[in-house]
Amino acid sequence: DAKTTQPNSMESNEEEPVHLPCNHSTISGTDYIHWYRQLPSQGPEYVIHGLTSNVNNRMASLAIAEDRKSSTLILHRATLRDAAVYYCILRPLPSSEETSGSRLTFGEGTQLTVNP
Amino acid sequence: DADVTQTPRNRITKTGKRIMLECSQTKGHDRMYWYRQDPGLGLRLIYYSFDVKDINKGEISDGYSVSRQAQAKFSLSLESAIPNQTALYFCATSDFRLAGGYVTQYFGPGTRLTVL
């Protein structure tokens, strides 16, 4: 799997936007960019994913660079409940012969602290 | 009720003991996974299963075994626990999709295992 690089930690204030960066300079053309987060004492949860175009959902937005070598997860208004470790993960498009089980390779992620 | 449940949530055991961690899901997914999480190492895949008859080793399967008793149940066993198996263990499920190009994984709440 292609490697991703994220800052170890970031800090934000409540109700302010947060931009979490991820570098993936070795991304291949078929790799999707996934973001998961892990709240304290919980398992990881899916946040958002994308391929080339920017994506929005109820949790966040994903901005993907034109060359796809980096992406940014955007939380528009951080809340205290958004304090978590955020993981940026690359996954290729699953195929019917895929034997990897669609497993996710988690790095160390970015620890986001939200200050009240 | 949670879609992915794990039992027990916490377990302390001694070196050499046999331990079983259980995972159940109500999402109707075919694929199930076991990960362990250690500080500084992220999540690492132990075993995964495409269906009841298909079990595959992950990146760190030594010292572990699994059983897929039914579509909804996937158990992880430590035949003879050792202290470096002290970790947080997560079960996950996913639904195989080609459309949309993503495979979201849903994680359980985790089991904290301590081997003395």
Side-chain angles (χ1 to χ4, degrees):
Chain A
D1 294 340
K3 183 178 171 56
T4 62
T5 303
Q6 299 177 252
N8 289 333
S9 63
M10 292 186 65
E11 221 171 301
S12 174
N13 296 320
E14 200 174 8
E15 299 192 3
E16 291 184 356
V18 181
H19 291 233
L20 297 164
C22 181
N23 288 318
H24 29 78
S25 58
T26 60
I27 191 170
S28 74
T30 57
D31 282 340
Y32 279 73
I33 303 160
H34 297 251
W35 283 82
Y36 279 71
R37 71 178 185 180
Q38 187 173 12
L39 303 171
S41 302
Q42 295 187 29
E45 65 174 347
Y46 168 81
V47 177
I48 200 167
H49 79 283
L51 182 62
T52 56
S53 303
N54 294 344
V55 184
N56 300 294
N57 67 18
R58 65 175 180 81
M59 291 180 70
S61 296
L62 177 60
I64 301 172
E66 194 169 339
D67 63 5
R68 299 205 335 120
K69 294 185 176 182
S70 65
S71 60
T72 302
L73 180 70
I74 302 166
L75 307 179
H76 295 286
R77 291 183 65 207
T79 70
L80 297 178
R81 290 176 296 176
D82 290 322
V85 178
Y86 287 79
Y87 298 97
C88 170
I89 302 165
L90 303 183
R91 280 295 304 159
L93 178 68
S95 69
S96 57
E97 285 77 39
E98 184 183 17
T99 58
S100 64
S102 300
R103 64 182 181 273
L104 298 172
T105 302
F106 287 79
E108 296 201 38
T110 298
Q111 173 69 63
L112 175 66
T113 301
V114 181
N115 300 314
Chain B
D1 290 338
D3 293 321
V4 184
T5 58
Q6 293 182 235
T7 57
R9 294 294 313 279
N10 289 283
R11 182 73 184 267
I12 299 173
T13 190
K14 295 182 179 179
T15 297
K17 294 290 188 181
R18 183 178 187 275
I19 296 297
M20 179 180 285
L21 308 183
E22 298 186 341
C23 176
S24 295
Q25 53 114 345
T26 58
K27 299 192 74 66
H29 290 166
D30 290 330
R31 297 184 172 193
M32 297 187 73
Y33 310 78
W34 275 104
Y35 292 87
R36 66 176 277 176
Q37 185 173 37
D38 300 274
L41 294 176
L43 276 81
R44 293 180 291 168
L45 183 66
I46 306 172
Y47 270 95
Y48 61 98
S49 170
F50 276 20
D51 62 36
V52 174
K53 297 180 181 179
D54 183 27
I55 305 290
N56 303 280
K57 293 183 178 181
E59 56 185 308
I60 54 161
S61 59
D62 288 348
Y64 301 94
S65 62
V66 291
S67 173
R68 186 82 183 268
Q69 302 95 322
Q71 186 199 38
K73 296 184 182 296
F74 193 34
S75 300
L76 176 72
S77 294
L78 289 67
E79 297 301 326
S80 179
I82 56 177
N84 75 1
Q85 291 178 313
T86 293
L88 193 53
Y89 289 84
F90 289 102
C91 173
T93 74
S94 70
D95 189 14
F96 179 72
R97 302 172 187 237
L98 282 177
Y102 71 95
V103 180
T104 300
Q105 291 194 8
Y106 298 87
F107 286 79
T111 294
R112 185 169 296 281
L113 177 65
T114 303
V115 183
L116 302 176

